[in-house]
Amino acid sequence: MAFELPNDFRCPISLEIMSDPVILQSGHTFDRVSIERWIDSGNRTCPITKLPLSENPSLIPNHALRSLISNFAHVSPKESSRPRAQQEHSQSQSQALISTLVSRSSSNASKLESLSRLVRLTKRDSLIRRKVTESGAVRAALDCVDSGNHVLQEKSLSLLLNLSLEDDNKVGLVADGVIRRIVAVLREGSPDCKAIAATLLTSLAVVEVNKATIGSYPDAISALVSLLRLGNDRERKESATALYALCLFQDNRKRVVDCGSVPILVEAADSGLERAVEVLGLLVKCRGGREEMSKVSGFVEVLVNVLRNGSLKGIQYSLFILNCLCYCSREIVDKVMREGVVEICFGLEDNESEKIRRNAANLVHTLHGNPMNS
């Protein structure tokens, strides 16, 4: 590439441009290959903060950053060969756009044009993201979300999503009342707006305090569960990703279960949405989640199908879920044994993933040594 990409696009471990950025539970983003290699080597601390990680650290895809990297990579080298002049022009341009957006006398058409151009500018420029936040434009963007105009909503949500890429903005956006707007859009917005709103929740939930705030907000979780049940493919994927991010906070798991999510997640997993399996992998850690999973007809068969045909991540989570359920239920043990899961686990002994090998061994041990299977 003939021009320099922002340092934020580089993995802190490899120092290379990230192709699959994921968020560690510490809140920092790494390229998936690099952080998985770090974890599989036995490290259980964040490479940056050195704070301890859980035994099986969760990695949340950073879709927003991945999109930014992809979009930035398509900027021509010629356009990027004058960074100083371009930056000065962008700064001047952004100020005029902000002024139009916040003006009460601006028409909806003018606001839409300003929002569209600010979305493009804030995708690539951290300085402009901070400038927009400090200028009071967040309140104007929130007003556009409230407008009921789906086109204005979509652009304002996209702007808020870009602004949320700055860690310092995540808590501030929640304090400004963005969750209420997101929940309203999840209920009544257009399909594109609903998908962006769910993605915005995922971005905000990177911060631990926001996980608690969002989870306790009335209707936030139920709106995501409803979107998972009724939405199109994109909406379902983004709602499942948001639920996964929220369920990394322990108190939210019961809330998600209580919204009737388990059978909906099982159905989504059966239709091929593996992110639903990952959410179930968090819900199985709470008693209510295990109880609800045990009630779903055909659940074991769905997980076994993932073991046979799923991705490495899907296989890893399916093994973990089955192990948790079998440890607590002889009935589940019997179902799992009848499905030939022991043979499947033996076939995974040489799998490339250390987590899969470990989870498979743990499941075999549980099936053969579970006191309820004696």
Side-chain angles (χ1 to χ4, degrees):
M1 195 168 290
F3 57 97
E4 186 175 354
L5 288 161
N7 287 332
D8 289 344
F9 293 178
R10 298 184 183 277
C11 174
I13 297 175
S14 68
L15 302 181
E16 299 293 331
I17 300 301
M18 291 181 277
S19 61
D20 187 8
V22 293
I23 305 168
L24 197 60
Q25 63 193 64
S26 63
H28 292 279
T29 296
F30 304 87
D31 203 19
R32 183 183 292 277
V33 172
S34 297
I35 193 61
E36 285 187 342
R37 186 181 298 121
W38 169 270
I39 294 170
D40 289 345
S41 297
N43 296 296
R44 287 299 179 269
T45 58
C46 172
I48 294 179
T49 66
K50 306 304 180 186
L51 294 174
L53 304 173
S54 60
E55 179 59 27
N56 296 299
S58 300
L59 303 176
I60 306 173
N62 194 332
H63 295 301
L65 181 57
R66 184 172 184 169
S67 176
L68 282 177
I69 294 173
S70 176
N71 289 331
F72 197 100
H74 287 89
V75 177
S76 69
K78 181 178 180 181
E79 181 183 349
S80 301
S81 63
R82 295 175 282 110
R84 183 181 298 276
Q86 186 181 39
Q87 185 179 57
E88 291 175 352
H89 175 69
S90 296
Q91 293 282 345
S92 174
Q93 185 183 37
S94 66
Q95 185 56 59
L97 296 172
I98 291 169
S99 297
T100 300
L101 181 61
V102 301
S103 173
R104 293 183 178 275
S105 62
S106 297
S107 65
N108 281 350
S110 298
K111 290 181 178 180
L112 179 59
E113 175 65 18
S114 294
L115 283 168
S116 299
R117 294 169 67 182
L118 283 171
V119 168
R120 290 194 294 269
L121 289 171
T122 54
K123 274 184 178 179
R124 306 187 186 103
D125 197 321
S126 177
L127 289 175
I128 293 181
R129 289 197 290 269
R130 289 197 288 270
K131 182 175 182 178
V132 171
T133 305
E134 294 166 0
S135 69
V138 169
R139 177 59 56 186
L142 292 173
D143 288 342
C144 289
V145 176
D146 284 334
S147 69
N149 181 315
H150 288 169
V151 180
L152 275 178
Q153 277 188 345
E154 182 179 345
K155 290 302 180 183
S156 54
L157 286 167
S158 296
L159 177 60
L160 293 169
L161 176 59
N162 287 351
L163 298 181
S164 74
L165 294 174
E166 300 293 322
D167 287 345
D168 292 343
N169 288 344
K170 296 181 190 294
V171 175
L173 286 170
V174 171
D176 286 336
V178 72
I179 298 177
R180 175 177 67 80
R181 275 81 170 191
I182 290 174
V183 172
V185 171
L186 290 174
R187 292 293 191 192
E188 303 293 342
S190 68
D192 285 342
C193 287
K194 289 179 179 179
I196 298 170
T199 306
L200 179 53
L201 275 186
T202 301
S203 179
L204 295 172
V206 168
V207 178
E208 202 70 13
V209 66
N210 283 354
K211 290 184 177 73
T213 303
I214 296 167
S216 62
Y217 193 91
D219 289 336
I221 287 177
S222 62
L224 286 171
V225 173
S226 179
L227 189 63
L228 180 64
R229 180 171 64 91
L230 301 172
N232 60 31
D233 288 348
R234 181 189 177 195
E235 291 170 305
R236 293 167 69 233
K237 179 180 179 181
E238 296 301 340
S239 62
T241 301
L243 287 170
Y244 181 86
L246 292 173
C247 286
L248 292 172
F249 183 67
Q250 183 174 341
D251 290 354
N252 285 338
R253 294 168 192 167
K254 183 177 185 302
R255 293 171 177 144
V256 172
V257 171
D258 289 345
C259 285
S261 65
V262 169
I264 297 170
L265 286 162
V266 174
E267 182 180 352
D270 192 31
S271 70
L273 182 60
E274 285 200 354
R275 178 46 56 89
V277 180
E278 296 176 29
V279 180
L280 290 165
L282 296 177
L283 298 184
V284 78
K285 297 179 181 181
C286 71
R287 180 177 179 178
R290 294 190 295 272
E291 290 176 349
E292 290 301 311
M293 290 176 205
S294 299
K295 297 175 185 177
V296 178
S297 175
F299 181 41
V300 169
E301 290 82 355
V302 170
L303 293 180
V304 172
N305 183 56
V306 176
L307 290 182
R308 291 195 170 106
N309 303 303
S311 68
L312 293 179
K313 183 67 69 173
I315 293 170
Q316 173 192 324
Y317 274 91
S318 294
L319 290 168
F320 177 76
I321 295 167
L322 287 172
N323 189 42
C324 291
L325 293 177
C326 288
Y327 190 82
C328 301
S329 168
R330 176 167 184 166
E331 182 180 355
I332 299 294
V333 169
D334 292 340
K335 289 182 180 179
V336 169
M337 296 291 279
R338 286 196 299 270
E339 289 291 326
V341 170
V342 172
E343 291 76 12
I344 295 175
C345 288
F346 286 149
L348 295 171
E349 286 181 342
D350 297 324
N351 191 274
E352 63 186 87
S353 168
E354 186 271 337
K355 291 179 182 178
I356 288 179
R357 297 196 301 271
R358 183 174 66 243
N359 286 357
N362 288 342
L363 179 53
V364 170
H365 177 77
T366 299
L367 292 172
H368 286 163
N370 193 315
M372 290 177 284
N373 191 32
S374 58

